[in-house]
Amino acid sequence: MDNGKRYAADCRKMPSEKNCDVYMSGSKEHLVNAAVAHAVRDHGHKDSPELRSEIESMLEEGGA
């Protein structure tokens, strides 16, 4: 558990042909799951350990 820490994921910081502007925040566990679901559903990525690792590495501490 992250002891209440919040993180943010900003799709605008990821390379994308869709110019996606989704921004989400939450605990690391929930945020990674939500960001992976978004990447799979909206950007056509495959859920994989590599995708999860890439997303987790791009999270910023202190999301709203």
Side-chain angles (χ1 to χ4, degrees), residues 3-55:
N3 298 325
K5 288 185 184 178
R6 292 180 62 82
Y7 295 83
D10 189 343
C11 211
R12 294 173 297 183
K13 295 183 178 182
M14 296 287 290
S16 171
E17 295 174 3
K18 293 185 175 190
N19 295 318
C20 184
D21 62 359
V22 167
Y23 179 90
M24 56 182 90
S25 65
S27 68
K28 188 179 285 187
E29 177 186 2
H30 292 139
L31 184 55
V32 168
N33 288 333
V36 167
H38 170 71
V40 169
R41 182 187 63 240
D42 296 326
H43 295 285
H45 292 283
K46 181 178 178 188
D47 187 348
S48 67
E50 293 80 13
L51 176 63
R52 290 178 174 274
S53 178
E54 182 180 359
I55 288 172

